[in-house]
Amino acid sequence: MRAKHVALGALIAAAAAAERVEVPFSYAWRFHLGPGPDDGPGPGNGWAFPQLISNCTGTWPNPNRITSLDCSVACAYNPSCMVWIHVNNSRSCAHGDGNATCVPAVSNATANGALRTTVTPLQTSYAFAAALLPEDAGWPLVDAPHDALMSLNNSFSETGGDASHGYRVRQVVWYRKHFQLPGNWAGSHVLLRFEGVGHVAQVWLNGEYLLTHNSEYGGFTVRLDNISAAVWGGPNVLALRADASWGSAHWYSGGGIDRPVWLVRTAAANIVEDGVFAPAELATGATSAFVSAEWQNSGGAAGGSITCAVLFQLQNASTGEVLSNVTTPPATLPPSDGIATTATAQLPLPPSVLAHLWSIQAPTLYTLNVTLLLLPNGGGQEAVDGALVTVGYRTTRWDPATGFYLNDAPVRQRGFSNHNSFAGVGVAMPPRLDVFRAQVARALGANTWRMSHNPYRSSLYDALDALGIMVRDFDMYTASLSLFHVSS
């Protein structure tokens, strides 16, 4: 389950709505295809692999690395990796630490690799990361989701391109975003939420390095209110370097800011990003559902301790009618970064909900309204943050002889394997395209959607939930099949 944080007017109390503000941050990014003047393909100048090798002992396998570039750069981004070796014309890749021994071997004459003689830090200083440089005035403006490798300025190449990526040239790309932080946001909890950047993302604000994130399919957040370089009430420049020059995917995985971006402002007491958990699975005969919300006190040392409780309300998705509610016991947190607490409860499910479980024929969905309540010492309560989560309850089970059951009814699974890409747009698919793909699958009789091979955008899960299509998570490495689930 993924919490859907919302903007003004969506929470129960007006005070709560006034605290959380979410601004679409996907528009008007300045884009540069290719590396900057002081970086090249791969991890940049901060890594060195000066010595070629023929064989290494004391290494560990690193499977599914398509090329020697994938093998070497994966090692380069791992500070504990001191050596890599790749067998030509295969996916045989191995990495080793400082204890690995590298010696020539006739039996491995077709392999190549390199030994890192010293550990060098990841490069975090680039010309394109500096703020307010004039050259980005000539960069084209693009909106996220944006697949940099599908850029019109890019070209196909049978020699420099990647066959697994349709002979697109995989390379480093850069983005810059000029924006203002409202002056009255100073002192609030402010962050950027990236739903996905491929493949390795590095972020700077006004030239100050913030972080590196290594996962195209996992979202991440960048906190801004505790950054010394942030300018409140004035201009800021965000720089983002996306290293899409490598990757182990044997399917097209694109590159760049290929999922939406949000600028989020909350109060000091706030629900952690993706901190709401509302599993759809019900035990046989259950009359309640488990719910939880993780919250934190990010107000800083001057803010003092905060006491809060969490209110969960299950609502009719169409009318907003409250069908059930539960409030957790209060908890107190001191001001700190990185420390949170999780409030849990059993949410009663009325007979009307139990009689209308989510199914393929009738995909009934509800809204779980989650409100963080501040409990001041003087008494009373104030709603300071909130989230909305879409949920549909159901039961599932497998029978070794008769197969899969949804709500105790046998279901024969029908569906297709769907990749995280589409012709013409690559991996940068807008929500309307997710809806279109789900509608076409349903029209063809599908009740199951296999993800090949990674998590999708939230908009696709929403479409599948609403159309009565189950999601099957398939791990390409272990070929393990997870339980079907309503995916919101």
Side-chain angles (χ1 to χ4, degrees), residues 187-208:
S188 300
H189 179 73
V190 180
L191 55 84
L192 285 171
R193 182 199 309 133
F194 291 87
E195 292 192 20
V197 178
H199 169 56
V200 177
Q202 292 177 281
V203 183
W204 295 259
L205 179 67
N206 298 329
E208 180 178 336

Side-chain angles (χ1 to χ4, degrees), residues 31-72:
F31 169 63
H32 177 84
L33 180 68
D38 55 350
D39 73 324
N45 299 328
W47 299 103
F49 290 95
Q51 179 181 343
L52 291 179
I53 59 175
S54 297
N55 187 44
C56 276
T57 60
T59 59
W60 61 87
N62 196 316
N64 298 294
R65 295 290 168 190
I66 307 302
T67 65
S68 59
L69 177 64
D70 295 323
C71 188
S72 64

